[in-house]
């Protein structure tokens, strides 16, 4: 599973690509993809924060740079 930071990077990549596209429909599609990646990141982050320390060994840093996941 990807980390929250990776999902946010995917969203940023979509936005960068959107800025380079000439066709408004293509730009819009890339922006929609960015919004979808942001949603995935937010849902993953919320999921990690809702777990008790006894349920998981995952850790989240404020910036999302540190995230590990147990295999249990």
């Amino acid at each position: 599973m990807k980390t929250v930071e990776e999902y946010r990077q995917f969203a940023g990549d979509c936005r960068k690509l959107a800025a380079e596209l000439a066709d408004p429909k293509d730009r819009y599609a890339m922006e929609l993809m960015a919004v979808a990646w942001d949603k995935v990141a937010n849902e993953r982050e919320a999921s990690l924060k809702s777990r008790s320390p006894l349920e998981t060994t995952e850790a989240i840093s404020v910036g999302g740079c540190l995230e590990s996941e147990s295999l249990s």
Side-chain angles (χ1 to χ4, degrees):
M1 185 173 294
K2 301 288 185 187
T3 65
V4 171
E5 187 64 28
E6 286 173 304
Y7 293 138
R8 296 205 192 286
Q9 182 62 50
F10 295 157
D13 292 345
C14 288
R15 288 190 176 90
K16 286 178 189 175
L17 181 56
E20 297 173 6
L21 295 171
D23 187 303
K25 290 180 183 178
D26 292 339
R27 281 196 309 269
Y28 182 70
M30 281 287 103
E31 286 294 335
L32 287 178
M33 289 177 69
V35 169
W37 280 119
D38 284 333
K39 181 178 177 183
V40 171
N42 292 340
E43 289 173 357
R44 177 72 174 139
E45 189 170 51
S47 172
L48 292 172
K49 287 180 180 179
S50 69
R51 294 182 180 183
S52 75
L54 298 176
E55 291 177 307
T56 183
T57 59
E58 293 184 18
I60 307 171
S61 73
V62 173
C65 296
L66 172 63
E67 181 178 30
S68 62
E69 183 172 359
S70 69
L71 298 175
S72 58

